Amino acid sequence: MKIIQLEYFVAVVNYNSFTKAANFLHISQPSLTTTIKKMEADLGYDLLMRSTKDIKITEKGIHFYNYAQQLIQNYHQTLEKMHDLKIGHVAKIKISILESTNQWISQILATHSKLNDAQTYLISEVHDQSRIIELLINFESHVAFTNEQIGHEAITSIPLYEESYVLLTPKNAFPNTHTTSIAHLPLILPTKGSQVRKHLDDYFNRMNIHPNIVIEVDRFEAATNFVHRGLGYAVIPRVYYQSFNARDLDAIDIKPKLTRSIYINYLKKRKHASRVLSFINQCVDYWNFKE
């Protein structure tokens, strides 16, 4: 069975119509119908139940549809990777970052790209550690940044720097104050499930604090925008305070202090290109110099 046949079947299911699917695929409807019937004959069971009014997918068809989608996605990802290798014979460097690391990583990339002609990059934000491990082990990311050390035996996890969390407030909301408790303040926090939220929840439990959470958001950028609007105070990593979005706001130290460490991670067994290794070294050197 060919990938194109799977794509034909997926199109019929998505459009719930042979006519619409044929138009989308730029083939004739009889040709599409013949292809699906041949697939069913080869498989030995029906994928679709047809009537004069509509099309319904069978139970086996549902399972086949899910597998087909996965196979199609893997096929196109493989083609993309082969295309990446072809362009200038320089593979794209794929990096998983944290939102709070945007500012300083952009500085590293600016220098790295100048030293490495024709280098391209694919940057994605990934905050779930299990997903990061999966991306590294499956060779889908060259380098990943995390806010906790990865303890997997196949992954090298190097600490880069430690930073504190701060309270982001409108200008002069707390005049003449350098530190504050966040016990009773209206807080804008990351949503449940994020690593930062886990750090904060652990902190609240240790300090026996029942936080006054007024807004939960997925990204620091959104939290910062809400602080600008006076809707509450955000708890963010100090390095994020360097971002353009945090301009014209104050960052106040939290008491008792809450900190986290940032790690750079890569797969041990992978034969990394010199350009990937130089990027890793630049990140390590950047923070060694800072300290």
Side-chain angles (χ1 to χ4, degrees):
M1 193 170 293
K2 298 178 180 179
I3 287 291
I4 194 169
Q5 292 175 295
L6 301 181
E7 292 179 328
Y8 284 4
F9 172 68
V10 167
V12 172
V13 175
N14 288 344
Y15 283 96
N16 195 35
S17 165
F18 278 90
T19 301
K20 292 179 181 178
N23 290 335
F24 169 75
L25 296 166
H26 301 291
I27 62 173
S28 68
Q29 182 178 332
S31 177
L32 177 58
T33 302
T34 300
T35 299
I36 301 301
K37 286 182 177 179
K38 185 177 186 308
M39 290 172 63
E40 291 175 322
D42 292 341
L43 291 168
Y45 52 81
D46 290 333
L47 298 171
L48 303 168
M49 298 298 293
R50 306 157 182 83
S51 71
T52 55
K53 293 183 178 180
D54 59 9
I55 300 170
K56 292 183 179 179
I57 187 169
T58 65
E59 285 297 320
K60 290 181 179 179
I62 293 171
H63 292 297
F64 186 84
Y65 173 80
N66 291 331
Y67 291 134
Q69 279 195 311
Q70 185 175 350
L71 286 169
I72 292 168
Q73 181 180 1
N74 291 340
Y75 171 75
H76 287 291
Q77 286 178 345
T78 300
L79 287 182
E80 180 186 353
K81 290 174 183 178
M82 295 304 99
H83 180 69
D84 289 345
L85 292 175
K86 180 181 178 181
I87 299 175
H89 304 290
V90 177
K92 187 182 295 180
I93 298 178
K94 300 183 179 181
I95 306 168
S96 299
I97 69 170
L98 303 171
E99 183 187 1
S100 61
T101 62
N102 276 329
Q103 187 74 8
W104 67 266
I105 287 178
S106 67
Q107 297 176 42
I108 301 291
L109 287 176
T111 303
H112 189 268
S113 62
K114 288 180 181 178
L115 296 173
N116 297 276
D117 292 339
Q119 183 61 63
T120 59
Y121 308 86
L122 177 63
I123 311 295
S124 57
E125 281 187 19
V126 185
H127 295 268
D128 181 78
Q129 191 171 112
S130 60
R131 176 59 180 156
I132 288 171
I133 293 172
E134 181 184 338
L135 290 171
L136 290 171
I137 290 178
N138 292 335
F139 303 95
E140 294 179 47
S141 283
H142 292 94
V143 181
F145 295 89
T146 57
N147 53 18
E148 282 192 346
Q149 186 170 25
I150 292 180
H152 197 286
E153 60 183 10
I155 295 171
T156 296
S157 191
I158 302 172
L160 292 178
Y161 61 94
E162 184 178 279
E163 64 177 333
S164 60
Y165 287 96
V166 296
L167 185 72
L168 195 65
T169 76
K171 278 288 185 184
N172 301 316
F174 293 82
N176 305 316
T177 301
H178 299 292
T179 62
T180 185
S181 168
I182 58 175
H184 304 293
L185 297 175
L187 298 177
I188 302 168
L189 299 184
T191 52
K192 286 280 189 181
S194 69
Q195 199 59 56
V196 171
R197 180 59 181 271
K198 181 178 181 297
H199 290 169
L200 295 175
D201 286 345
D202 289 344
Y203 174 81
F204 294 140
N205 289 332
R206 289 197 312 272
M207 300 299 141
N208 195 28
I209 294 173
H210 299 284
N212 175 22
I213 304 171
V214 294
I215 300 176
E216 294 177 275
V217 295
D218 289 330
R219 306 186 79 247
F220 295 132
E221 180 182 6
T224 304
N225 289 336
F226 292 138
V227 174
H228 278 291
R229 295 291 184 182
L231 296 173
Y233 308 113
V235 178
I236 65 169
R238 177 168 285 282
V239 170
Y240 184 77
Y241 184 60
Q242 300 171 358
S243 72
F244 299 116
N245 201 42
R247 287 181 299 182
D248 303 321
L249 296 173
D250 287 336
I252 299 175
D253 290 327
I254 296 169
K255 64 177 185 182
K257 192 174 184 180
L258 173 62
T259 63
R260 70 172 187 173
S261 295
I262 300 298
Y263 293 82
I264 187 170
N265 308 275
Y266 56 91
L267 196 61
K268 292 178 182 178
K269 67 179 181 180
R270 184 168 185 169
K271 177 63 176 175
H272 289 290
S274 60
R275 294 183 176 211
V276 175
L277 295 175
S278 69
F279 173 78
I280 294 170
N281 290 334
Q282 280 183 243
C283 291
V284 174
D285 291 343
Y286 178 88
W287 286 104
N288 282 341
F289 178 78
K290 284 276 187 181
E291 294 173 358

